[in-house]
Amino acid sequence: MGELLRFSAPRQAHVVEFEDEMPGAQQYRIETLYSGISAGTELTAYRGTNPYLNRRWVAQERLFVDGGTTVDFPIDGTGYEEVGTITAAGPGADMSMVGQLVWGDWGHRTSCVRDADWVQARVLPDGLDPKLGIFAKIGAIGLNAVLDADIHIGETVVVFGAGVPGQIVAQLARLNGARVIVVDPDESRRDLATRLGAALTIDPMTNDVADVVKGLTDHRGADVVVEMSGSYVALQESIRVVAYSSRVVVSGFYQGEGAALRLGEEFHHNRVNLVGSQISGVSPSIQHRWDELRMSRTVLALARDGQLNLRDLISHTVTSADSPAAFEMIDSSPSGVLQVVIDYRTSTD
């Protein structure tokens, strides 16, 4: 028997048993080493605020509609940041793959079975700390936002939100040649952003962010803003911060109504371009060259080569048994919490 994390109701998480699968034809069995907790998307499922739990998604029209829901409690095995070891190969699968480390998204569970083609495309790069493989998808989300931002050398980029995706975006934007300013109310997150190369950090609770940025850019404003926090207040301030006829990349996962937005003010008068950035796709101008798999591989290669610091984003490591308490901590006491990693090795040693 294996174990997985179950949300039985809003803010109710438990570790439960499930029956392990064995690989079929052209499949591999993977035993999980590490799993990362997403403090964004997953937390909306834990809290019960995710739109899939409250409305129905119609895939053909790509619309949320009233009348039913797409997902209901209990929810098993959420999570999309996993690393594991191939322990068995099914008929027709390459036996030499057994023992290889792979990354992917199979949720907070001790094992899974996946098709051979899928697994072979996700072998962990040689020389990379296996724990850092959990950043493959959240790293792709960050890189997707940077690709949407279309950053040029010498530009000023403001990143709202210094959680895990925001820290990744800030580093990638700097690799693109930008001067990066990070905005977050949490002092420890601002300090980390500085250590990771941000030119300036701003506390939005004690500063008029738009006024500071305008003063640093000859009253022009930021060349591009990336909003990663999922706060409508931050989105409104992003609109105020960006230069005339310029771009705000909207990558945060917003919940509820956007009462903080005042779209008749700077958004309207400054011809601000809001670009939705979400991992289901990439910018149409580059979709013939980029996809999610390439973005994940790029992020992991940058980490292996020392150009992207992911290790310092890990703030807590817990056992599988402690994962319900980890969600409670992220929900109720997020200060000082960045990436939480579930270490499944400690559950089986």
Side-chain angles (χ1 to χ4, degrees):
M1 298 295 287
E3 293 182 344
L4 60 78
L5 184 69
R6 170 176 292 170
F7 298 156
S8 58
R11 291 184 165 88
Q12 298 294 317
H14 314 275
V15 176
V16 300
E17 291 187 337
F18 75 98
E19 187 171 351
D20 278 322
E21 295 181 79
M22 293 305 295
Q26 297 291 336
Q27 290 186 323
Y28 294 107
R29 183 177 187 272
I30 305 168
E31 290 190 6
T32 310
L33 296 174
Y34 305 104
S35 186
I37 296 177
S38 160
T41 303
E42 274 193 88
L43 206 59
T44 68
Y46 175 75
R47 290 170 171 167
T49 62
N50 191 291
Y52 286 101
L53 287 164
N54 298 286
R55 302 186 79 196
R56 183 166 57 89
W57 172 251
V58 182
Q60 185 175 5
E61 285 83 15
R62 299 193 64 80
L63 290 173
F64 283 100
V65 299
D66 294 327
T69 63
T70 304
V71 178
D72 294 302
F73 290 104
I75 305 171
D76 285 348
T78 65
Y80 55 80
E81 306 176 354
E82 284 72 52
V83 176
T85 305
I86 299 173
T87 57
D94 182 359
M95 286 294 297
S96 69
M97 289 285 290
V98 174
Q100 288 272 21
L101 297 175
V102 296
W103 56 269
D105 51 346
W106 56 84
H108 304 307
R109 60 182 70 229
T110 52
S111 69
C112 73
V113 169
R114 289 292 183 269
D115 291 341
D117 289 346
W118 187 92
V119 172
Q120 289 166 353
R122 291 165 174 80
V123 174
L124 200 72
D126 289 339
L128 180 70
D129 180 347
K131 187 180 287 189
L132 301 185
I134 67 158
F135 290 98
K137 186 156 189 172
I138 194 66
I141 291 168
L143 178 53
N144 198 20
V146 170
L147 293 174
D148 279 322
D150 190 24
I151 298 164
H152 305 108
I153 291 174
E155 292 187 327
T156 297
V157 175
V158 176
V159 180
F160 279 79
V164 172
Q167 298 280 1
I168 292 172
V169 165
Q171 292 185 70
L172 293 174
R174 192 166 63 88
L175 287 177
N176 270 21
R179 174 177 64 167
V180 179
I181 299 171
V182 174
V183 181
D184 197 284
D186 187 282
E187 183 178 9
S188 65
R189 294 185 176 191
R190 295 196 308 273
D191 289 345
L192 177 59
T194 299
R195 294 200 303 273
L196 296 180
L200 177 70
T201 64
I202 301 174
D203 181 356
M205 306 304 292
T206 58
N207 294 275
D208 183 322
V209 180
D211 186 59
V212 173
V213 173
K214 297 277 184 174
L216 292 170
T217 56
D218 295 326
H219 310 291
R220 182 178 55 250
D223 295 286
V224 64
V225 176
V226 183
E227 206 303 287
M228 299 298 295
S229 74
S231 161
Y232 286 115
V233 173
L235 179 56
Q236 172 61 29
E237 193 62 16
S238 298
I239 293 169
R240 297 185 67 237
V241 163
V242 78
Y244 175 82
S245 201
S246 294
R247 177 177 302 185
V248 174
V249 175
V250 186
S251 193
F253 191 10
Y254 302 87
Q255 304 294 294
E257 297 182 355
L261 296 178
R262 298 187 296 277
L263 299 182
E265 297 181 8
E266 291 86 4
F267 171 74
H268 179 74
H269 288 80
N270 291 339
R271 302 185 75 252
V272 173
N273 182 15
L274 297 183
V275 177
S277 182
Q278 204 269 348
I279 196 60
S280 62
V282 296
S283 171
S285 65
I286 58 172
Q287 63 185 0
H288 60 293
R289 295 184 285 113
W290 283 91
D291 58 15
E292 183 181 334
L293 184 59
R294 181 181 178 185
M295 289 188 289
S296 290
R297 287 172 167 172
T298 298
V299 165
L300 296 182
L302 290 170
R304 178 200 59 200
D305 295 342
Q307 296 180 275
L308 180 63
N309 186 334
L310 300 176
R311 189 182 307 278
D312 287 355
L313 304 185
I314 298 174
S315 61
H316 296 73
T317 301
V318 301
T319 66
S320 175
D322 289 333
S323 55
F327 272 91
E328 183 179 356
M329 173 183 67
I330 297 168
D331 180 34
S332 62
S333 304
S335 180
V337 180
L338 275 175
Q339 181 64 66
V340 178
V341 178
I342 304 171
D343 186 343
Y344 284 91
R345 301 171 308 158
T346 57
S347 301
T348 56
D349 285 350

